[in-house]
Amino acid sequence: QVSPGLRTPRLPVWLCSVSGRHGVLFGTDSQLLSDWKSERIFHLYFYSGQQTQTAHLTIDTHSHHWEEAQREGPCSPGKRRPALEMAIRTKWAGATVSWNGTDPFF
């Protein structure tokens, strides 16, 4: 039998498989599960089990992605995004992800 805490987590937790690697993406704000207003700007943490692949991310779901530089093509190096950011955008389309000083990986 599955524990009620596993069926309905108290904190947001996602198990991720990004580019063939596994990790956990989680938040420490329980309001993220129940209050859509808390999805404006919030923090998520990614942990893969490797010390070099731990990150504190800030997600902004109301950013103005159309204000980015228009001179670069969609496939240019400046427009490419790490796979972890793209996975986050499957839940929050158009969100910007700040890596808070950590070099993006994946």
Side-chain angles (χ1 to χ4, degrees):
Q1 181 174 349
V2 177
S3 164
L6 292 176
R7 288 184 297 215
T8 308
R10 293 188 178 132
L11 296 172
V13 176
W14 296 272
L15 298 176
C16 303
S17 177
V18 181
S19 302
R21 298 183 198 159
H22 297 86
V24 178
L25 185 65
F26 64 95
T28 58
D29 182 4
S30 62
Q31 291 297 317
L32 196 55
L33 292 171
S34 59
D35 184 8
W36 63 269
K37 294 175 193 171
S38 64
E39 291 187 1
R40 167 69 170 90
I41 296 177
F42 56 94
H43 301 280
L44 293 177
Y45 300 88
F46 182 77
Y47 179 71
S48 69
Q50 297 179 4
Q51 187 175 11
T52 59
Q53 293 185 343
T54 302
H56 168 221
L57 308 169
T58 301
I59 315 301
D60 183 351
T61 61
H62 288 81
S63 62
H64 300 290
H65 60 278
W66 59 85
E67 293 176 353
E68 293 178 5
Q70 298 295 321
R71 62 182 175 263
E72 296 178 354
C75 294
S76 67
K79 291 285 185 177
R80 293 185 191 151
R81 302 287 185 235
L84 183 58
E85 285 186 31
M86 299 310 293
I88 290 169
R89 288 188 182 123
T90 63
K91 170 90 171 126
W92 296 283
T96 58
V97 178
S98 170
W99 289 75
N100 298 312
T102 302
D103 289 330
F105 49 86
F106 278 106

